[in-house]
Amino acid sequence: MARPPRVMTEAAQAYSFSRRAWLLGAGQIGLGGLLIGRMGYLAITQNEHYNLLSERNRVSMTMIPPRRGWIVDRNGQPIASNRTDFRVDVIPDRLEDKERTLARLRALLELDDEEVAQIEAELKHSPGFRPVEIAENIDWDRFAAVQVRQPELPGVAPSRGFARHYPQGAAVAHLIGYVGAATSEQYKKARDPLYLTPGFKLGKDGLEKTMEPLLRGTAGAKRVEVTARGKLVKELATRPDVPGRTLRLTIDAGLQEYAARRLGTNSGSCVVFDCTNGEMLAMVSMPAYDPNSFSEGISQLEWKMLSENDHVPLMNKVTQGLYPPGSTVKPMNGLALLAAGIDPNDRVFCSGAFQVGNGVWHCHKRHGHGPLDLKNAIMQSCDIYFYEMARRVGYDKIAPVARALGLGQKFDLPFATQRYGTVPDSEWKRRKYKTEWKVADAINASIGQGYVLANPLQLAVMASRLGSGLELQPTLLRDPFKPRAQPMAIDPEHFRLIREAMYGVVNAGGTGGAARMQVPGIAIAAKTGTAQVRRITTAERRSGVLKNGQLPFKLRDHALFVCFAPYDNPRYAAAVVLEHNGHTVRNLDTPMIGRDIMTYLFDRERALKSLAEVEPTWGGDIRTRMAAEEAAYRAAHAPPPPRPDLDDVAASGSDAVAAATDASNATAEAQAADTARGDGPARSGSPEPDSEGGRGDGGSGRE
């Protein structure tokens, strides 16, 4: 059925029109409101954001790396400073023709094949946003030649800034460390745009790394107005950088360099303390690398040379090296014996051999010393005396005194790595080896062998506490408000007896006569030590133990020396540890090195004159020897393939250091196993020289 047509009246038409007009108006009002709200949001709420975007389009800003704070010694002499540096970097993302650009830079900067190969390797492995160093520390003429051609070399960024400089070079390498460019991993972690700025470097090792927050400073910014196409319009105000703070150390830079030179061709270390307050005056590990080379970008060939060196120049031997302390612990053990009630006048007859059960232990003097009291046992470094006394009182009464004097202790110093060694006792052995402590263990430990291990820093602390009688805490950062050290809870009379014995080691016919001071009115007190590093077989003992001069370098004994001076009022204390020295060369042995380092503190001119007489016989000073070694290595080895970025690896954490540490651990474990079987190093005694007169220039010192 069809619907009738709808009749549209005038009223209906008016109603329909007004409704549509209302809806349209409401829509327009709503849209207008949205537009007004959006405009208000953009103009008010987002005002700062868009102002920044606009400013960024108008102004190009380049960060200025902050000048690192200086590191100075106790007298204000610079150890790490800054110098003006002209450098050229490239930003891979902005390179348009890499081959052409590198060819132009090679010609302008006079780069050699090895440098070009290294650059190409870094460009290949580097993220596109990270600048790659082309040349650093270049002269003005080459820098200007690149700068005037910059429009023709897109992606090339010449800049003028400051580079780190280490005046003492290798002498401070393991103390200060070095700086290097930030890695991509470091940037991803920090998301700091400063890490991408050409010329910016941060600490990679040593104090440069551990004190980075203090030394870095705050970056500045250079602002220029540009067109939309990047054309320079004018320079705007530049925000200057804020330099890092100056770090003042307790180190004496002159002594530090002297000690490094005086160690000569040895692989070893030296630590010197002020006995009045525990301030560290020198901390040397040699051989070492030149931190200037690392900061400027070390080559693959130089890194390979350092890594393959059997003297391990990449290792900080002061804190990472662990050694059996040998006879240097005998004064400390004597202090423990006095505390345990042993009469210092009690005598022990040394026949050259000491029997416990079925085992026989020998003294280093084959036919014995005869009857000796405590003082003479220390002076002559008699093993039999300490075997017998350790058997009587037990090593559990000696170990606490060893720890109180610094062995096995961790010190609050700004070093990333410290190895703390071992002071064994019965509880330690039960915990580690699940076996009981034996008399043989005490015998070995009594002469600083067997399970006992210490680093050179701990030995120097031991010497300073023996000399001062104070519980000194080693410090490296200058602190005028450091509290005074308190006397140790040990009878001062016992300290006096031990100091007299150590005086006799050098000045009354003991084993350290070569250390006798030549400064009028100054006497040194000391103790020599030798630590065996290899297992001596029964067959070798029967046929005659080989002398160190007959052995390869790695099988020779370590030589050690602890001392303090003046004897009657100790002001300075030191420890010298020489790896595989074996007492083979007189003027490179510990007593004369220790003597000369102490002489420097009381008569600098005399010490420098003494060094000038012998240093030429070693091939010259440190820089001369290192240059000769590198030249010889380059002549013998063709340049190897370029290596990926070296900045990822700190020198002290390199594979070479890890391998040396593993080898040291393996040696210690092997000796511990021998000790557990009653066949430890003490079987043949501590290989000490009997006296100064009995040791020739080329002898091993073993009797």
Side-chain angles (χ1 to χ4, degrees):
M1 181 177 177
R3 296 181 62 183
R6 186 177 179 183
V7 179
M8 180 65 66
T9 65
E10 184 177 350
Q13 288 180 341
Y15 173 76
S16 176
F17 176 79
S18 60
R19 187 179 61 177
R20 293 176 182 175
W22 183 86
L23 290 174
L24 181 59
Q28 290 175 336
I29 291 172
L31 181 59
L34 288 174
L35 291 174
I36 292 171
R38 178 63 176 170
M39 290 175 64
Y41 173 76
L42 295 176
I44 300 173
T45 308
Q46 294 292 300
N47 178 271
E48 183 178 356
H49 172 71
Y50 285 102
N51 274 340
L52 289 174
L53 290 179
S54 175
E55 185 72 4
R56 194 174 299 170
N57 288 333
R58 184 182 72 89
V59 176
S60 175
M61 186 173 70
T62 303
M63 298 192 76
I64 301 174
R67 288 162 288 175
R68 289 183 73 81
W70 284 27
I71 302 176
V72 300
D73 79 341
R74 64 192 300 111
N75 302 311
Q77 182 176 342
I79 298 177
S81 58
N82 303 317
R83 54 172 172 72
T84 302
D85 171 44
F86 297 109
R87 59 180 294 116
V88 176
D89 300 276
V90 298
I91 301 179
D93 278 348
R94 299 178 186 174
L95 283 176
E96 294 181 359
D97 187 340
K98 184 177 76 172
E99 287 72 20
R100 173 181 169 278
T101 301
L102 288 181
R104 293 294 302 276
L105 291 175
R106 177 172 186 165
L108 292 171
L109 299 174
E110 302 172 5
L111 304 175
D112 58 32
D113 292 340
E114 184 180 352
E115 290 171 326
V116 172
Q118 182 72 18
I119 292 166
E120 289 177 343
E122 291 186 6
L123 284 171
K124 182 178 180 181
H125 292 91
S126 175
F129 53 79
R130 177 185 171 185
V132 172
E133 178 185 314
I134 300 297
E136 186 178 33
N137 192 28
I138 60 177
D139 56 56
W140 167 253
D141 291 337
R142 288 189 290 170
F143 176 77
V146 174
Q147 193 171 39
V148 299
R149 293 172 175 81
Q150 191 173 0
E152 308 166 15
L153 301 170
V156 176
S159 60
R160 175 179 178 176
F162 294 90
R164 206 59 162 164
H165 178 58
Y166 306 95
Q168 290 82 20
V172 299
H174 293 294
L175 170 67
I176 301 300
Y178 59 94
V179 297
T183 64
S184 56
E185 288 75 16
Q186 288 172 321
Y187 171 72
K188 290 174 182 176
K189 182 178 180 180
R191 291 296 174 184
D192 187 343
L194 180 61
Y195 284 23
L196 305 180
T197 305
F200 171 72
K201 293 184 177 179
L202 72 166
K204 293 289 184 175
D205 209 0
L207 290 178
E208 292 278 26
K209 181 178 181 180
T210 57
M211 304 304 294
E212 174 69 20
L214 181 76
L215 294 169
R216 180 182 297 185
T218 305
K222 179 181 179 181
R223 301 167 68 243
V224 294
E225 187 174 348
V226 296
T227 66
R229 298 194 175 192
K231 184 177 179 180
L232 176 65
V233 175
K234 65 177 179 180
E235 292 190 4
L236 303 176
T238 296
R239 185 183 73 206
D241 65 298
V242 179
R245 292 174 57 188
T246 296
L247 186 66
R248 195 180 192 94
L249 306 182
T250 61
I251 295 294
D252 181 327
L255 176 64
Q256 177 82 11
E257 187 167 11
Y258 180 85
R261 292 172 61 188
R262 188 58 187 85
L263 287 175
T265 57
N266 281 299
S267 173
S269 55
C270 171
V271 184
V272 183
F273 281 112
D274 186 327
C275 281
T276 64
N277 53 24
E279 291 184 345
M280 190 183 296
L281 302 178
M283 193 212 81
V284 179
S285 175
M286 295 300 290
Y289 55 86
D290 184 353
N292 293 300
S293 295
F294 272 69
S295 297
E296 294 168 4
I298 187 172
S299 69
Q300 162 66 4
L301 191 72
E302 189 175 355
W303 175 266
K304 191 169 186 290
M305 178 186 70
L306 293 170
S307 299
E308 293 177 353
N309 191 325
D310 62 359
H311 285 37
V312 201
L314 298 174
M315 172 185 277
N316 182 356
K317 299 175 178 67
V318 171
T319 58
Q320 292 179 281
L322 287 181
Y323 311 92
S327 296
T328 60
V329 300
K330 288 176 179 174
M332 178 189 69
N333 290 351
L335 201 63
L337 295 176
L338 292 172
I342 294 296
D343 187 334
N345 298 313
D346 281 356
R347 291 175 178 264
V348 171
F349 184 82
C350 172
S351 63
F354 180 77
Q355 185 167 357
V356 176
N358 295 326
V360 177
W361 282 262
H362 299 273
C363 186
H364 68 87
K365 187 172 183 179
R366 184 175 302 169
H367 302 296
H369 292 96
L372 292 174
D373 58 11
L374 175 61
K375 177 180 177 180
N376 283 283
I378 293 174
M379 287 171 52
Q380 301 303 324
S381 200
C382 176
D383 296 322
I384 301 299
Y385 179 92
F386 288 95
Y387 295 161
E388 170 60 21
M389 290 302 179
R391 184 188 65 78
R392 287 186 193 177
V393 305
Y395 198 77
D396 280 0
K397 291 188 177 179
I398 297 176
V401 176
R403 297 188 186 103
L405 287 175
L407 269 63
Q409 279 195 18
K410 176 182 179 181
F411 302 112
D412 185 19
L413 293 170
F415 295 121
T417 54
Q418 286 187 60
R419 301 179 71 204
Y420 311 117
T422 304
V423 177
D425 56 19
S426 56
E427 176 59 30
W428 172 87
K429 188 178 182 184
R430 277 193 295 270
R431 187 170 61 251
K432 184 171 178 64
Y433 292 105
K434 307 297 188 291
T435 58
E436 294 300 314
W437 187 265
K438 298 178 181 177
V439 174
D441 299 326
I443 289 173
N444 278 283
S446 70
I447 61 168
Q449 296 269 188
Y451 299 120
V452 185
L453 291 172
N455 65 36
L457 175 63
Q458 293 167 343
L459 295 178
V461 171
M462 178 186 73
S464 69
R465 292 180 180 178
L466 281 171
S468 67
L470 302 175
E471 195 172 353
L472 296 170
Q473 294 298 322
T475 53
L476 184 59
L477 306 181
R478 199 72 190 272
D479 180 9
F481 304 106
K482 179 183 177 181
R484 294 178 61 87
Q486 298 301 310
M488 299 188 68
I490 295 175
D491 190 339
E493 178 64 15
H494 294 173
F495 275 117
R496 186 190 65 78
L497 292 171
I498 297 302
R499 291 182 196 123
E500 286 186 359
M502 295 179 70
Y503 170 86
V505 169
V506 177
N507 304 286
T511 58
R516 188 174 295 114
M517 295 280 283
Q518 298 173 349
V519 180
I522 303 295
I524 188 174
K527 184 67 191 79
T528 56
T530 312
Q532 185 176 307
V533 299
R534 68 189 183 98
R535 181 180 179 184
I536 299 176
T537 64
T538 303
E540 184 180 342
R541 288 195 180 96
R542 289 172 180 167
S543 61
V545 177
L546 295 174
K547 294 186 176 182
N548 281 288
Q550 301 170 284
L551 296 169
F553 170 73
K554 283 290 187 180
L555 297 182
R556 297 175 186 170
D557 297 332
H558 299 319
L560 307 96
F561 186 80
V562 296
C563 62
F564 51 82
Y567 142 73
D568 52 351
N569 184 24
R571 175 63 194 277
Y572 304 109
V576 179
V577 178
L578 305 180
E579 291 184 340
H580 312 294
N581 170 272
H583 307 295
T584 53
V585 180
R586 181 181 173 85
N587 64 22
L588 285 172
D589 202 358
T590 50
M592 295 187 74
I593 292 174
R595 177 202 69 184
D596 286 351
I597 289 172
M598 280 293 166
T599 299
Y600 181 93
L601 291 162
F602 296 101
D603 189 339
R604 184 173 303 188
E605 294 302 319
R606 184 188 295 269
L608 290 171
K609 181 180 179 181
S610 175
L611 177 61
E613 292 173 356
V614 295
E615 196 170 41
T617 67
W618 307 331
D621 62 15
I622 297 171
R623 289 181 175 87
T624 302
R625 295 199 307 270
M626 289 178 68
E629 183 180 358
E630 183 176 351
Y633 191 88
R634 285 183 180 276
H637 297 77
R643 182 187 59 79
D645 194 355
L646 278 170
D647 289 332
D648 291 337
V649 181
S652 61
S654 65
D655 291 342
V657 174
T661 301
D662 290 343
S664 175
N665 291 341
T667 299
E669 287 296 327
Q671 289 187 349
D674 287 345
T675 299
R677 293 193 299 270
D679 192 27
R683 286 287 192 172
S684 56
S686 60
E688 287 291 291
D690 285 336
S691 65
E692 175 54 25
R695 179 170 56 191
D697 287 359
S700 70
R702 184 194 295 275
E703 292 298 317

